[in-house]
Amino acid sequence: MKEMKLYQLMKKHGMMDYDEFHKRSVQDTAWFWKAVEEDMELDWFQPYRQVKDSSNGVPWTRWFVDGKINVAHNCLDRFVKNPDVRHRLALIWEGDDGEVRKLTYQQLWEEVNALANGLRKLNVGPGDRIAIYLPMVAENVITMLAAARIGAVFTPCFSGYGADAVATRLRDCEAKVLVTADGFLRRGKVIPMKEEADKAADLAPSVEKVVIVNRLQRKDCPRNGKRDVDWADLITDVKAHSSEATDADTPFMIIYTSGTTGRPKGTVHVHAGFPVKSGFDAGYMMDVKEGDILFWMTDMGWMMGPWMVFGALMNGATMLLFEGTPDYPEPDRLWKLVETHGVTHLGVSPTAIRALMKHGEDWVNRHDLSSLKVFGSTGEPWNPEPWQWLFEQVGKKRVPIWNYSGGTEISGGILAGNLMKPIAPCSFNGPMPGMDVEVLDGEGQPVRGEVGELVIRQPWVGMTSGFWKDPQRYEETYWSRWPDHWVHGDWVLAENEGFWYITGRSDDTLKIAGKRLGPAEVESILVDHAAVLEAATIGVPDPDKGEAAVCFAVLKPGFVPDEGLKQNLMTSIVEKMGKALKPKEIHFVSDLPKTRNGKILRRAIKAAYTGKEAGDLSSLENPQAVEAVRGVHS
């Protein structure tokens, strides 16, 4: 524990007790974030004169006022200056086919400089938007840092999007340049990408140039002579390009989140916001240090992609990017990656672990996983069985699971495990330092021992600077329910013993006969059954109870979806939850609608089942699963 960066930060400020440290971090958030910034040794072009300014209202709080900084400079230049660090690996990439590419801090800095020069030749300057529609390749990171270096703003798009979803984002942010690839590999198959990029660019009048990364060297890749530029032709000028001295609150990234209604929300992040928060969360809470190797199974279009980039580079660590899937060509691909590259910090989703569990421990035991120090997890609630399997069978009871929950608008976490404290399975130790968090009932009163609404009572570094060109929607979404309280949309149980649990999104919450019920409570019972691989629960209107639960279960191989099994599962729920909460129905399906990072979209299930509009579903990995749900009720 004494080697942890968090402990060293506490000790530096004369505190040995974590609870005392956390209390001070929320009593004086300006002190806390100044202490973090100084300990991270950020390199400022111009010092800030004030840590925190809420004069325009709490939702529009500014941080590090009048300071000038650049995130690309702080990710690369300050390390390249150090001869002991510049040749350390910054990035490892492995393709679906096993191809590997490695870049040191010096090499990544050189590539970023070359692209920065190339972008300037395309007349991209401060404030211009660059959309990134790429697979998980090194060029993804290079583009992000090059854009930030010249003061431009990048917007990452999920690599699995179709043209319409990409075009929506291009039009909303009025992107000047779209960076894409000829294609990529997924489970051994060529996935064309340029075709979708062309369709998207055709639908977005602001796009002037499409930059092509020739990942596969496809000879049949379509070309648009006037609009297309090859990546190789853009990076010919390798001289150093100095970083733009941007204001601390200058935007550098717009990352879109899917809404339940309407168009996606463009969350705006600034140079001294997202990188500082993600850098703190990774470095001090997950304890990622110089020389560690951070690998999160994600896509750059999801928040955890950029989080991994800045969480690694702001701490002088190494990131691992992986193009493929964790179970291809064999079920041990993920464990092989850990062994091959010496991964120290591995981020996975509960869904991914449930899928790998069914292959058994033999695939795990083939590999030396001794490099692992910490497992990370975010995106959805855990169930006990996969948690225990990861901890006992994979980690051999020596690797802690760092549970982590927040959001795109947060720049990282609200709740997290604490590696300095004991952790209960599937739980969090509570709010993170600097996050003034409470659980409120329907009347806005704090509650313990019962489920309530998760709120944040003070602003924090990394809080989104509103939605792109839509300030009213931002205020209505997060700040309208209780004055100066950020209502996050998570339904949380904070136990008197100090452990916190997320039971689901508050808009997923069921209210059955007057009792609020988080879907995860029912789902945990289902997946505890030997036959069930994964499950989802939704609420549907009921004339007697107001709302009733309907469950969907995916079975493990070898189990038959018959009436006997259904009744067995019903009995388990009734025994553990009570007869009043008995589901109206349990349906067996072959798959559940999920995003690429494994998050189950319950609103998509509910919309399909009830025949209503689901909102934006562009992030779905498997849209056919929606039709399967619709089919059980047709």
Side-chain angles (χ1 to χ4, degrees):
M1 183 183 82
K2 292 183 179 180
E3 300 301 315
M4 285 186 63
K5 288 169 72 171
L6 179 62
Y7 180 83
Q8 293 298 321
L9 178 62
M10 290 166 47
K11 184 179 177 183
K12 183 177 179 178
H13 292 275
M15 285 173 269
M16 300 293 130
D17 179 69
Y18 174 80
D19 292 335
E20 176 193 354
F21 176 75
H22 187 277
K23 185 177 180 181
R24 185 174 178 191
S25 80
V26 296
Q27 285 178 338
D28 189 350
T29 55
W31 164 81
F32 171 73
W33 289 108
K34 179 178 173 64
V36 168
E37 174 276 311
E38 290 177 343
D39 201 64
M40 291 175 75
E41 299 181 343
L42 298 186
D43 202 349
W44 295 85
F45 296 125
Q46 176 179 300
Y48 51 88
R49 62 171 178 80
Q50 183 180 351
V51 179
K52 175 183 174 185
D53 178 6
S54 296
S55 59
N56 291 328
V58 170
W60 303 101
T61 298
R62 297 167 62 213
W63 294 90
F64 308 118
V65 180
D66 290 343
K68 290 190 179 294
I69 195 170
N70 187 287
V71 59
H73 178 86
N74 276 276
C75 284
L76 297 176
D77 297 61
R78 65 188 177 119
F79 295 114
V80 171
K81 288 178 192 173
N82 186 339
D84 295 328
V85 178
R86 67 171 64 120
H87 298 303
R88 179 188 300 148
L89 283 177
L91 184 151
I92 303 169
W93 170 77
E94 181 167 317
D96 183 78
D97 57 354
E99 182 185 350
V100 173
R101 181 184 181 192
K102 298 181 179 183
L103 293 173
T104 65
Y105 272 81
Q106 174 80 30
Q107 290 167 333
L108 182 56
W109 177 81
E110 290 169 358
E111 297 260 3
V112 168
N113 277 294
L115 183 59
N117 291 323
L119 291 173
R120 295 298 288 128
K121 289 176 184 175
L122 296 182
N123 296 315
V124 178
D128 287 335
R129 273 78 66 199
I130 300 171
I132 307 173
Y133 176 47
L134 285 170
M136 288 295 273
V137 289
E139 287 82 1
N140 216 317
V141 177
I142 294 165
T143 306
M144 292 164 65
L145 295 171
R149 193 171 195 84
I150 63 176
V153 183
F154 69 85
T155 184
C157 299
F158 168 46
S159 62
Y161 279 151
D164 287 346
V166 177
T168 298
R169 288 149 179 80
L170 296 178
R171 288 194 300 266
D172 191 70
C173 73
E174 297 175 289
K176 192 172 188 177
V177 172
L178 171 61
V179 182
T180 191
D182 58 349
F184 59 98
L185 297 176
R186 185 163 177 81
R187 305 187 75 83
K189 297 178 181 177
V190 171
I191 309 296
M193 202 171 201
K194 176 62 162 47
E195 288 83 345
E196 293 299 309
D198 281 345
K199 292 176 191 173
D202 290 343
L203 295 169
S206 62
V207 175
E208 297 175 6
K209 295 292 181 184
V210 174
V211 178
I212 310 158
V213 176
N214 289 300
R215 157 75 182 102
L216 301 177
Q217 304 294 330
R218 284 179 55 210
K219 290 185 171 59
D220 60 343
C221 181
R223 297 284 168 168
N224 181 322
K226 292 183 179 179
R227 193 170 61 191
D228 290 353
V229 180
D230 271 2
W231 176 278
D233 295 335
L234 203 60
I235 57 169
T236 56
D237 185 353
V238 296
K239 69 176 181 292
H241 189 295
S242 58
S243 296
E244 191 80 15
T246 52
D247 291 334
D249 59 357
T250 296
F252 81 102
M253 175 174 70
I254 302 168
I255 185 165
Y256 286 86
T257 65
S258 298
T260 52
T261 59
R263 71 183 193 282
K265 306 184 293 280
T267 60
V268 179
H269 290 290
V270 302
H271 279 260
F274 189 107
V276 179
K277 170 65 172 163
S278 59
F280 172 79
D281 289 9
Y284 293 79
M285 298 304 294
M286 198 184 189
D287 204 39
V288 175
K289 298 175 181 170
E290 291 189 356
D292 283 338
I293 298 175
L294 173 63
F295 172 40
W296 211 287
M297 280 293 306
T298 186
D299 187 275
M300 215 57 78
W302 309 137
M303 189 273 293
M304 291 308 295
W307 184 95
M308 175 173 61
V309 173
F310 299 109
L313 297 182
M314 293 290 281
N315 288 292
T318 306
M319 77 187 86
L320 171 62
L321 303 185
F322 176 49
E323 180 185 48
T325 52
D327 59 351
Y328 178 84
E330 299 285 356
D332 62 342
R333 183 65 181 273
L334 179 60
W335 319 125
K336 186 177 180 182
L337 283 164
V338 171
E339 179 181 33
T340 300
H341 301 293
V343 172
T344 57
H345 294 70
L346 173 64
V348 291
S349 69
T351 296
I353 296 304
R354 283 192 290 267
L356 293 172
M357 272 176 62
K358 66 185 180 185
H359 299 294
E361 295 82 59
D362 288 347
W363 290 102
V364 178
N365 295 332
R366 296 180 187 191
H367 299 281
D368 177 5
L369 306 183
S370 59
S371 62
L372 284 171
K373 298 178 182 178
V374 180
F375 293 119
S377 169
T378 194
E380 57 175 331
W382 277 92
N383 311 112
E385 187 184 4
W387 174 288
Q388 295 290 3
W389 188 82
L390 179 64
F391 180 66
E392 295 174 4
Q393 303 302 325
V394 182
K396 309 304 181 189
K397 300 183 179 181
R398 68 169 189 84
V399 181
I401 300 174
W402 182 65
N403 210 9
Y404 182 56
S405 183
T408 304
E409 306 89 334
I410 307 298
S411 295
I414 303 172
L415 305 178
N418 185 334
L419 300 178
M420 296 166 59
K421 286 188 168 189
I423 184 77
C426 311
S427 76
F428 305 87
N429 289 107
M432 302 187 75
M435 306 299 284
D436 186 7
V437 176
E438 191 51 89
V439 181
L440 303 183
D441 65 15
E443 284 68 53
Q445 298 301 310
V447 291
R448 286 292 181 274
E450 61 181 90
V451 173
E453 193 84 55
L454 180 70
V455 302
I456 310 174
R457 300 182 293 191
Q458 293 188 68
W460 64 96
V461 167
M463 184 174 78
T464 181
S465 296
F467 299 155
W468 183 254
K469 293 186 177 179
D470 202 348
Q472 183 177 348
R473 188 183 182 198
Y474 163 64
E475 291 187 0
E476 289 173 352
T477 301
Y478 292 110
W479 301 99
S480 59
R481 187 168 180 186
W482 292 297
D484 292 341
H485 281 60
W486 173 288
V487 180
H488 190 61
D490 275 344
W491 209 244
V492 170
L493 170 66
E495 291 187 338
N496 294 318
E497 294 79 10
F499 297 115
W500 294 47
Y501 299 85
I502 292 178
T503 62
R505 296 290 294 171
S506 52
D507 51 9
D508 289 334
T509 301
L510 292 71
K511 193 169 186 179
I512 301 173
K515 184 182 186 302
R516 289 198 177 275
L517 177 70
E521 296 177 71
V522 182
E523 291 160 6
S524 288
I525 296 170
L526 291 171
V527 298
D528 274 348
H529 193 282
V532 179
L533 177 63
E534 55 186 4
T537 299
I538 61 168
V540 300
D542 182 84
D544 299 321
K545 299 179 179 180
E547 195 170 29
V550 173
C551 304
F552 299 83
V554 179
L555 299 184
K556 296 175 183 175
F559 288 91
V560 179
D562 57 20
E563 193 62 30
L565 177 57
K566 182 184 294 187
Q567 291 308 315
N568 192 292
L569 293 171
M570 284 283 194
T571 301
S572 294
I573 295 171
V574 169
E575 287 176 350
K576 294 175 182 176
M577 302 293 298
K579 191 173 181 181
L581 299 177
K582 179 182 178 181
K584 185 174 186 176
E585 185 59 86
I586 297 176
H587 294 288
F588 297 116
V589 291
S590 58
D591 202 3
L592 295 171
K594 290 189 284 285
T595 62
R596 174 73 67 86
N597 60 345
K599 187 184 294 187
I600 294 171
L601 281 187
R602 293 181 188 84
R603 65 179 171 84
I605 297 171
K606 186 169 183 175
Y609 191 75
T610 58
K612 294 183 179 177
E613 177 57 45
D616 177 32
L617 296 180
S618 58
S619 62
L620 272 182
E621 163 82 349
N622 53 346
Q624 71 279 1
V626 176
E627 297 306 313
V629 170
R630 191 173 283 121
V632 302
H633 201 230
S634 57

